[in-house]
Amino acid sequence: MCVTTPDVHTAGEAPVFRLAYVPGVTPSKWVRIWAERRPDVPLELIALDVADCADAVGEGRVHMALTRLPEALRYGDARQHHTIELYEESTVVVVPKDHVLTAGEEMTLADLADEQFLWPLDEPLTVPEPPGAAVEHRPETTGDAIELVAAGVGVLLVPQSLARLHHRKDLVYRPVTDAPTSAVGLLWPAPTTESADEFVGIVRGRKATSSRGRTDEVPKRSAREKAAAKRAAREAAGKIPGKSARRGPGRPKRR
């Protein structure tokens, strides 16, 4: 059954736009711009795991999800939907502070061939050909995997933002230059509503005065009006003489 997502949910009489976001992603800048442009529609942030985003969008519980792609689509049914990728994240390996790998500033997958890897069930990163050997136990979340890295059970490949989110003094991370990267993007149901289009415009840097925004449409000028405006601008800049200059001083006006 297809679920139609309303443009905004309502809390009493007040409309609300619900945006899901996943760990490591920081939507604060876009939320601030939304508040400036749409003070009539509060934006409600919903923290979700990557695995829960597709179902939340498909069931209409959120209007849009700021999540990791395509990982989010592997876990649930977003039904008819749209996606756009916003940026890619570097991949890092998280290791204990005294690990031999900390000697280098960066490394390759070949450098990790002898390591034991933890692969959490929430899988924030898709690695088609995993390096090293997999630890038999799979922790539920990336946070749980970080705890096991600190305990010396294995090492962990994650997007850099998650390594920062779970930073600990006894752990360090290093970039892995040839590892698959993770994409952060938007996931939202089809058809696109006005509010969803507004938020897409914000994250893409669309100005508030864009013709696709909510501002009143500016009437188009005729060709004569455009030519007159262009000539006036050139006269003001002194690039061509004005009418009074063409007549010259003392020249009588025609009757």
Side-chain angles (χ1 to χ4, degrees):
M1 180 179 68
C2 180
V3 176
T4 301
T5 305
D7 189 17
V8 289
H9 294 297
T10 57
E13 296 298 324
V16 178
F17 183 72
R18 291 187 175 137
L19 174 69
Y21 71 103
V22 297
V25 175
T26 53
S28 54
K29 174 184 176 181
W30 299 322
V31 172
R32 185 180 69 253
I33 296 173
W34 175 276
E36 294 170 354
R37 296 188 187 179
R38 297 296 303 269
D40 57 318
V41 181
L43 189 152
E44 180 181 350
L45 287 173
I46 310 292
L48 290 179
D49 291 330
V50 172
D52 298 324
C53 288
D55 283 339
V57 168
E59 295 167 3
R61 289 185 279 119
V62 299
H63 294 97
M64 185 171 280
L66 186 58
T67 185
R68 290 187 168 83
L69 299 171
E71 284 77 14
L73 298 172
R74 293 168 47 198
Y75 296 101
D77 184 7
R79 298 185 172 90
Q80 291 185 335
H81 64 274
H82 300 289
T83 62
I84 57 171
E85 292 186 0
L86 302 178
Y87 59 89
E88 285 191 351
E89 287 193 86
S90 299
T91 297
V92 301
V93 61
V94 182
V95 299
K97 192 174 183 179
D98 58 355
H99 197 285
V100 65
L101 290 175
T102 61
E105 293 299 317
E106 59 182 31
M107 59 202 63
T108 66
L109 290 174
D111 297 324
L112 306 174
D114 296 329
E115 299 301 321
Q116 297 284 320
F117 279 85
L118 291 155
W119 299 104
L121 292 174
D122 61 4
E123 293 186 281
L125 182 69
T126 300
V127 184
E129 298 181 8
V135 174
E136 184 175 352
H137 170 68
R138 296 193 66 187
E140 289 288 331
T141 68
T142 300
D144 294 335
I146 291 287
E147 296 289 334
L148 293 175
V149 173
V153 175
V155 301
L156 177 65
L157 281 177
V158 289
Q160 184 169 312
S161 66
L162 285 178
R164 289 173 175 168
L165 177 67
H166 295 289
H167 174 69
R168 295 171 49 127
K169 292 182 179 180
D170 55 349
L171 299 178
V172 296
Y173 60 86
R174 292 288 187 267
V176 183
T177 57
D178 59 348
T181 57
S182 172
V184 172
L186 289 175
L187 167 66
W188 73 97
T192 301
T193 63
E194 178 187 347
S195 296
D197 183 66
E198 182 92 19
F199 195 81
V200 170
I202 288 173
V203 300
R204 284 182 161 175
R206 191 187 304 158
K207 302 298 182 182
T209 54
S210 167
S211 60
R212 296 184 64 185
R214 300 179 66 251
T215 55
D216 295 334
E217 185 177 354
V218 179
K220 293 183 178 180
R221 295 182 297 177
S222 67
R224 179 177 295 181
E225 289 172 330
K226 290 180 181 178
K230 185 176 181 180
R231 182 176 183 84
R234 294 183 67 189
E235 288 181 357
K239 294 182 178 180
I240 60 173
K243 291 181 179 179
S244 60
R246 291 199 303 272
R247 286 197 301 267
R251 182 177 179 180
K253 296 180 179 180
R254 291 184 180 181
R255 299 290 183 181

